[in-house]
């Protein structure tokens, strides 16, 4: 698994736990980092930046997802899909060195592995519309 995909998976783990436990992502991240054996893997830095970035911009990210997820509220989305979308939207809007198609395809690939059969198509559509918005 490529390093950035591993980082996204770790970020998803933290955001998923924070979402389920209704805790701040940065607080869950701190506990997560304590549990990881040292030395930490190289990709962990990117995972931390994803979690911190999503946490910092969470309200705006959720607002954007909600406005582009036609017929779906954030609460109705599967927890994995919601958090994959958050990571991808953060990358689309705030990470300059990640191309939009890469951010979208990484979210879709993780959805194929970890979520419902409909999730990859759903995320691809929502994130594609958001990417169009982001490039304006």
């Amino acid at each position: 698994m490529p390093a950035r995909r591993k980082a996204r998976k770790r970020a998803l783990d933290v955001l998923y736990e924070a979402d389920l436990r209704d805790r701040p992502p940065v607080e869950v991240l701190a506990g997560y980092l304590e549990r990881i054996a040292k030395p930490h893997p190289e990709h962990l830095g990117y995972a931390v930046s994803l979690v911190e970035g999503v946490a910092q911009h969470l309200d705006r990210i959720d607002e954007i997802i909600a406005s582009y997820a036609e017929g779906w509220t954030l609460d109705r989305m599967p927890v994995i899909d919601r958090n994959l979308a958050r990571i991808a939207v953060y990358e689309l809007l705030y990470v300059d060195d990640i191309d939009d198609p890469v951010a979208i395809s990484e979210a879709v690939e993780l959805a194929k592995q970890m979520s419902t059969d409909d999730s990859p198509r759903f995320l691809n559509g929502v994130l594609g519309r958001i990417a169009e918005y982001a490039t304006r």
Side-chain angles (χ1 to χ4, degrees), residues 19 62 65-66 69 72-79 82 86:
D19 206 350
D62 281 356
I65 294 168
W72 285 86
T73 63
L74 281 170
D75 292 340
R76 276 190 59 218
M77 287 179 200
V79 178
R82 179 171 53 238
R86 286 171 172 161

Side-chain angles (χ1 to χ4, degrees), residues 26-129:
V26 176
E27 179 184 301
V28 173
L29 176 64
Y32 186 82
L33 292 174
E34 288 175 9
R35 295 188 305 264
I36 295 177
K38 291 186 173 69
H40 289 156
E42 287 184 32
H43 65 268
L44 191 61
Y46 189 62
V48 168
S49 71
L50 289 174
V51 172
E52 289 174 343
V54 168
Q56 180 181 356
H57 301 284
L58 187 60
D59 291 339
R60 179 69 179 135
I61 290 169
D62 281 356
E63 177 185 315
I64 291 168
I65 294 168
S67 67
Y68 284 87
E70 298 166 359
W72 285 86
T73 63
L74 281 170
D75 292 340
R76 276 190 59 218
M77 287 179 200
V79 178
I80 289 176
D81 296 1
R82 179 171 53 238
N83 286 292
L84 283 172
R86 286 171 172 161
I87 292 167
V89 170
Y90 172 72
E91 287 183 320
L92 289 170
L93 298 180
Y94 301 103
V95 182
D96 293 334
D97 65 331
I98 301 292
D99 292 332
D100 291 357
V102 172
I104 294 168
S105 67
E106 287 294 316
V108 169
E109 284 304 311
L110 285 170
K112 285 178 185 176
Q113 296 171 18
M114 304 179 70
S115 198
T116 70
D117 290 342
D118 296 329
S119 295
R121 187 175 64 245
F122 169 74
L123 284 171
N124 191 53
V126 170
L127 296 172
R129 289 189 296 275

